[in-house]
Amino acid sequence: MLIVDLDDTLIGLDLRISPANVRAIRQVMRAGILTTIATGRTFQTTQPFAQKLGITLPLICYNGALVRTENKVYIERMLPEQFYHPLIQFAARHRLQICFYVSHHNVIYFNRPL
């Protein structure tokens, strides 16, 4: 099985998959090697890259917290809501960057710009 990252691996700063990478991934898949993507990105921003490559296996998103296809969620590990505010406060106190996704609210929270 081949599991490939997106940012700075499969795609560059231009957010495009190079023709050489497209050929390589398709060649691997034609050889019968199961292939998918693992990334810190959301499913919605990962799916177009998977579609371009013809990847139909579940995508590994949010650094492993979500594994899903268009129609089925295999793994979804979310922090309970009671942790949101303490995490935000901790990050503020210690001047840390924090980012999390709240799926049932469809919100991505960043405490400062990336």
Side-chain angles (χ1 to χ4, degrees):
M1 179 172 214
L2 173 65
I3 302 173
V4 65
D5 181 36
L6 282 180
D7 296 293
D8 299 324
T9 303
L10 193 60
I11 61 175
L13 293 176
D14 62 358
L15 301 180
R16 293 191 174 130
I17 305 172
S18 72
N21 280 345
V22 170
R23 282 191 304 276
I25 296 294
R26 289 185 179 161
Q27 183 179 3
V28 164
M29 291 171 58
R30 276 193 305 274
I33 297 171
L34 299 174
T35 304
T36 194
I37 295 170
T39 181
R41 289 172 168 254
T42 68
F43 179 78
Q44 291 78 7
T45 61
T46 303
Q47 190 178 31
F49 295 107
Q51 288 173 337
K52 178 179 176 98
L53 295 168
I55 293 172
T56 57
L57 290 178
L59 304 177
I60 304 164
C61 303
Y62 301 114
N63 296 313
L66 178 68
V67 179
R68 68 169 289 187
T69 62
E70 177 71 32
N71 301 312
K72 184 174 180 181
V73 174
Y74 293 89
I75 297 171
E76 185 175 40
R77 300 288 183 256
M78 295 189 307
L79 224 51
E81 281 190 48
Q82 72 245 30
F83 291 108
Y84 301 167
H85 292 291
L87 280 173
I88 292 167
Q89 292 167 349
F90 178 86
R93 267 193 321 275
H94 297 281
R95 298 177 53 162
L96 299 171
Q97 183 178 25
I98 189 171
C99 169
F100 58 84
Y101 173 70
V102 183
S103 68
H104 57 279
H105 294 297
N106 202 24
V107 171
I108 298 175
Y109 173 83
F110 291 97
N111 66 337
R112 65 180 175 184
L114 291 173

